[in-house]
Amino acid sequence: MKKSKWLATLGVAVLSLSALTACGGNSSKNSGSKVYNYVYSTDPNTLDYLATARATTSDVTTNGIDGLLENDKYGNLVPSLAKDWTVSADGLTYTYKLRDGIKWFTSDGEEYADVTAEDFVTGLKHAADVNSDALYLVQNSVKGLNDYIEGKTKDFSTVGVKAIDKRTVQYTLSQPESFWNSKLTYGVLAPVNAEFLKSKGKDFGKATDPSSILYNGPFLIKSLTSKSSIEFSKNKNYWDAKNVHVDGVQLTYYDGQDQESLFRNFDDGAYSVARLFPTTPSYKTAKKKYGDSITYGQQDATTYYATFNLNRTAYNHTKKTSDSQKSDTKKAILNKDFRQALAFGFDRMSYQAQSAGKEAANKSLRNTLVPPAFVQIDHQNFGDVVEKNLETYGSQWKNVKLADAQDGLYNPEKAKAAFEKAKAALQAEGVQFPIHIDYPVSQTASVLLQQAKSLKQSIEKTLGTDNVVIDLIELQEDTYNNISYLAETTAQNDWDITTASGWSPDYVDPSSYLDIFNPMLSNSQTKNIGLEPGKDAAIASAAGLDEFTKLVTEASKITDNVKARYIAYAKAQAALTDSAVYIPTISLGGTPRVSKAVPFSQAFGWSGIKSDRYYKHLKLQDKPVTKKQYDKALAEWKKAKEKSNAKYNDSLEKHVEK
């Protein structure tokens, strides 16, 4: 979702198209109806949209379930099930008025019940009762929710969500959040019908059963077959049907193995869009036949990265041959200079060239967790302020540029200098070299395997195999997912370094990125770096995360001054970059494609799940979009977006109670 999304990396190789162009096309196989046809890479493990933050679920359910607000095509938050809202003067109480006549429907399109304010209360209670992995979004935001989750009270009526009447739902916050509304598209704050939920019991949201949930959104899930297909049909009784321009969506399972099948199926008319891979033989054909229609979308808010496992305990998949190798690797990974050496020694241009080709390898590179242009501070990009703070951490960071679409980190000389510092310290501890780093990868995902080999080659070339060896562990896809992206606990993280995951913001505030690595937060995502959330402070300290922890905690306390808050988070981002517990790689966007989607017809958003994977507003055309058409549409969209955002921001005051 975008998503409070903990994202699987296979999406970079395959599904980034939908983030770039919004996706779509005609299908001659559907009696003249317009159907978006493409691929998906990972089955949802549940359809319980309230219980998970994973994109594998939200990318599917967002098309069937609407919440209070949604994004328009310029990124503004506009009414969805709520027709209007008000905010108390102290910023603590948000009251939403629901539209009249909104209905729940079964997967067969039969009317089930009205959507009421009480459904939102039921939804949040269900999320809390099943310990949703999306609770971190709201646990400390909604008044009383944390006490309920921690068992300090069993009375959910003490939680700050109320049905004032059938058409009015109200949230009371623990503290002001200027970004609260940007959380409202997520499943954890979506409604659910209490009677239906009770009738389904443990089968509510069963992964392969579309009838296990109700629908109030633009599409109904008609079928979902594991590792085969997902099919949607238009909800003909949808309250806003005039803005649904496709009759259905057909997604076919793709394991990443046959890259050329994407273009082949587009060329045959079976797919509406195709991600192109310049390293494959078919690219010459694509360029010859569709050269004027190969376009590159903008980079979006999703950041992918490599992460280090700071506390590995599982060794079921390893090439290490002794306990001493395991111990030496763990000590090395806890050394900040060692991690910086790998970060500076990683040629990310070469890495991304395996996916996008040399010509476009830079177009999706990202150098920080928070995108540099995500927010502005006194008309400066967030990343510009981070750069100035980063220089205070040492000469290695002087003149490092963090802007998107260029490799600001790769520097073999800096890598060697950092490694020499690390080696001296580690040898004093008795560590033997070379250090062996286990790096698992799916054996069927061709692009990911090529990228893994590129990472291995650049680091070993820079530092020498007498110092560092990257051991690729090729695994069957399900095994790979279970020890990385789908690992539920740190004990299941069976790797030293992985590129299995990425992150999209949950709301428009730097905390949405930076809090995921805060070792002190019990609802953080530090399991991505091998730390049990809120419990492994000693290991975090040993890894050199104390400065980041202090700064990100201080920033979170600033709630009454947006500028001061952003400045504080820029300092925290600089400290996190210096810690090198992760290495940013790429964003979504910036990869070549051909598409039949009308450019910029779809919803847009820096955060939330009502944007690139939400097909409500998508318009299609019969012929592929040309570069000329795309560039013209982009220029017009940027101009219109600036005006629309300014008008929207000016209008926010009307919602504040006097």
Side-chain angles (χ1 to χ4, degrees):
M1 259 167 355
K2 266 179 157 193
K3 333 168 220 137
S4 94
K5 292 196 268 197
W6 180 21
L7 301 162
T9 309
L10 189 55
V12 174
V14 179
L15 298 181
S16 60
L17 255 297
S18 54
L20 304 178
T21 60
C23 315
N26 287 334
S27 174
S28 58
K29 301 177 182 180
N30 290 278
S31 304
S33 63
K34 292 194 172 185
V35 177
Y36 158 60
N37 288 274
Y38 197 42
V39 298
Y40 76 101
S41 62
T42 307
D43 289 321
N45 65 324
T46 179
L47 292 180
D48 187 345
Y49 50 91
L50 295 149
T52 183
R54 287 200 173 104
T56 46
T57 292
S58 64
D59 286 352
V60 175
T61 58
T62 189
N63 288 290
I65 312 296
D66 278 353
L68 292 168
L69 303 180
E70 64 183 52
N71 293 106
D72 67 13
K73 70 181 195 176
Y74 301 116
N76 302 312
L77 283 164
V78 296
S80 183
L81 298 188
K83 63 182 179 181
D84 201 2
W85 70 92
T86 58
V87 187
S88 62
D90 61 7
L92 292 176
T93 305
Y94 285 72
T95 305
Y96 302 88
K97 289 288 186 180
L98 301 185
R99 297 178 186 277
D100 295 328
I102 305 296
K103 304 290 184 180
W104 286 111
F105 299 94
T106 68
S107 60
D108 293 324
E110 296 180 358
E111 184 178 321
Y112 184 89
D114 290 336
V115 175
T116 68
E118 192 63 38
D119 295 341
F120 290 88
V121 179
T122 302
L124 188 55
K125 183 177 186 300
H126 173 68
D129 289 344
V130 299
N131 194 29
S132 169
D133 62 18
L135 284 174
Y136 70 91
L137 257 174
V138 294
Q139 185 168 348
N140 296 313
S141 298
V142 179
K143 186 176 181 180
L145 181 57
N146 187 59
D147 285 347
Y148 181 82
I149 291 170
E150 293 185 349
K152 295 178 181 178
T153 177
K154 295 184 178 180
D155 182 3
F156 193 77
S157 68
T158 62
V159 176
V161 56
K162 310 290 182 188
I164 305 301
D165 56 43
K166 189 176 181 181
R167 291 284 178 264
T168 310
V169 60
Q170 185 177 87
Y171 293 90
T172 302
L173 307 187
S174 301
Q175 60 185 14
E177 288 186 359
S178 59
F179 46 86
W180 166 255
N181 271 347
S182 62
K183 295 182 177 183
L184 291 177
T185 68
Y186 291 103
V188 71
L189 290 171
V192 67
N193 179 275
E195 180 183 347
F196 183 82
L197 180 66
K198 183 178 180 179
S199 71
K200 287 296 181 180
K202 293 182 178 180
D203 286 334
F204 177 76
K206 188 176 180 181
T208 57
D209 183 6
S211 69
S212 66
I213 59 174
L214 292 177
Y215 303 81
N216 61 24
F219 296 94
L220 309 172
I221 304 174
K222 301 307 296 180
S223 66
L224 199 163
T225 305
S226 179
K227 293 186 177 180
S228 177
S229 65
I230 303 174
E231 182 181 356
F232 303 82
S233 65
K234 181 178 179 178
N235 180 358
K236 296 179 180 179
N237 296 305
Y238 179 53
W239 67 270
D240 196 23
K242 66 179 183 297
N243 283 313
V244 184
H245 307 292
V246 294
D247 299 301
V249 176
Q250 179 74 44
L251 304 177
T252 302
Y253 179 74
Y254 172 73
D255 64 7
Q257 194 165 9
D258 184 4
Q259 301 165 27
E260 298 195 74
S261 67
L262 303 180
F263 170 69
R264 188 168 60 246
N265 279 295
F266 176 85
D267 194 37
D268 289 343
Y271 288 168
S272 310
V273 62
R275 162 78 159 82
L276 302 179
F277 296 89
T279 57
T280 59
S282 66
Y283 187 69
K284 291 183 178 179
T285 302
K287 202 165 185 179
K288 182 178 180 180
K289 192 169 183 179
Y290 298 99
D292 292 338
S293 296
I294 296 176
T295 57
Y296 300 84
Q298 301 180 92
Q299 290 185 260
D300 76 357
T302 302
T303 300
Y304 287 87
Y305 40 72
T307 52
F308 293 98
N309 191 343
L310 301 177
N311 189 30
R312 183 179 182 183
T313 58
Y315 291 92
N316 297 314
H317 306 282
T318 182
K319 289 188 178 180
K320 293 180 175 60
T321 58
S322 66
D323 288 342
S324 62
Q325 280 191 353
K326 297 175 185 177
S327 175
D328 288 345
T329 298
K330 182 174 288 189
K331 289 177 181 178
I333 286 177
L334 284 175
N335 184 289
K336 183 174 74 170
D337 291 318
F338 179 84
R339 298 193 302 269
Q340 284 190 8
L342 269 63
F344 286 130
F346 176 15
D347 184 349
R348 296 175 306 143
M349 281 280 286
S350 176
Y351 174 88
Q352 183 57 359
Q354 310 308 311
S355 174
K358 292 182 180 180
E359 182 181 346
N362 68 310
K363 292 182 182 295
S364 54
L365 292 186
R366 176 153 291 157
N367 299 289
T368 50
L369 181 62
V370 181
F374 185 58
V375 295
Q376 281 66 50
I377 305 172
D378 280 345
H379 306 293
Q380 293 185 88
N381 280 340
F382 183 80
D384 296 332
V385 181
V386 175
E387 284 180 12
K388 295 173 183 176
N389 284 287
L390 189 57
E391 289 190 355
T392 67
Y393 287 96
S395 60
Q396 72 271 33
W397 298 113
K398 188 175 182 179
N399 298 320
V400 168
K401 300 302 179 185
L402 300 177
D404 276 343
Q406 51 92 39
D407 193 341
L409 301 180
Y410 179 54
N411 188 310
E413 293 308 311
K414 289 182 179 181
K416 292 172 184 176
F419 185 80
E420 288 307 312
K421 289 175 61 179
K423 189 171 185 179
L426 291 168
Q427 284 181 327
E429 296 181 44
V431 170
Q432 300 293 310
F433 290 81
I435 300 299
H436 283 264
I437 305 289
D438 287 329
Y439 178 12
V441 64
S442 171
Q443 62 191 15
T444 59
S446 302
V447 170
L448 300 188
L449 186 56
Q450 291 164 8
Q451 288 181 321
K453 290 177 179 178
S454 175
L455 182 152
K456 171 182 170 68
Q457 182 181 27
S458 64
I459 290 177
E460 290 181 352
K461 180 181 178 181
T462 299
L463 300 178
T465 53
D466 56 330
N467 289 316
V468 177
V469 175
I470 306 295
D471 289 316
L472 300 185
I473 314 291
E474 297 184 29
L475 300 172
Q476 188 270 339
E477 183 190 352
D478 287 342
T479 301
Y480 167 71
N481 283 333
N482 288 336
I483 68 166
S484 55
Y485 171 61
L486 295 179
E488 297 288 348
T489 66
T490 56
Q492 295 170 357
N493 284 340
D494 198 357
W495 45 269
D496 294 317
I497 192 171
T498 181
T499 51
S501 300
W503 192 261
S504 288
D506 301 306
Y507 42 89
V508 184
D509 186 79
S511 63
S512 186
Y513 289 96
L514 296 171
D515 281 357
I516 70 172
F517 286 137
N518 185 345
M520 301 307 295
L521 292 181
S522 62
N523 56 359
S524 71
Q525 297 293 314
T526 52
K527 63 183 178 183
N528 278 334
I529 53 175
L531 301 180
E532 193 68 28
K535 297 181 180 179
D536 286 333
I539 299 170
S541 180
L545 278 169
D546 285 348
E547 177 74 359
F548 166 70
T549 304
K550 181 187 75 171
L551 291 172
V552 77
T553 302
E554 289 175 352
S556 69
K557 296 176 182 177
I558 304 173
T559 61
D560 58 351
N561 186 320
V562 173
K563 177 182 173 182
R565 181 179 174 89
Y566 289 174
I567 289 173
Y569 272 113
K571 292 179 180 179
Q573 171 66 87
L576 183 63
T577 296
D578 180 66
S579 78
V581 295
Y582 78 110
I583 306 172
T585 54
I586 60 174
S587 68
L588 289 181
T591 48
R593 75 289 169 91
V594 283
S595 173
K596 294 180 180 178
V598 175
F600 306 101
S601 61
Q602 203 165 0
F604 168 82
W606 273 114
S607 67
I609 61 173
K610 295 297 183 182
S611 52
D612 50 291
R613 303 301 201 277
Y614 188 50
Y615 305 118
K616 175 178 175 178
H617 298 282
L618 177 65
K619 294 181 180 179
L620 313 174
Q621 59 187 54
D622 295 330
K623 296 181 179 181
V625 174
T626 65
K627 185 178 184 301
K628 182 178 180 180
Q629 180 190 359
Y630 179 82
D631 289 345
K632 180 182 178 183
L634 174 59
E636 292 174 348
W637 178 79
K638 284 183 175 179
K639 185 176 180 180
K641 181 179 182 297
E642 185 176 355
K643 291 182 179 179
S644 179
N645 291 166
K647 183 178 179 181
Y648 173 79
N649 289 332
D650 289 342
S651 73
L652 291 179
E653 281 298 316
K654 76 176 185 181
H655 296 287
V656 180
E657 296 175 349
K658 306 301 181 183

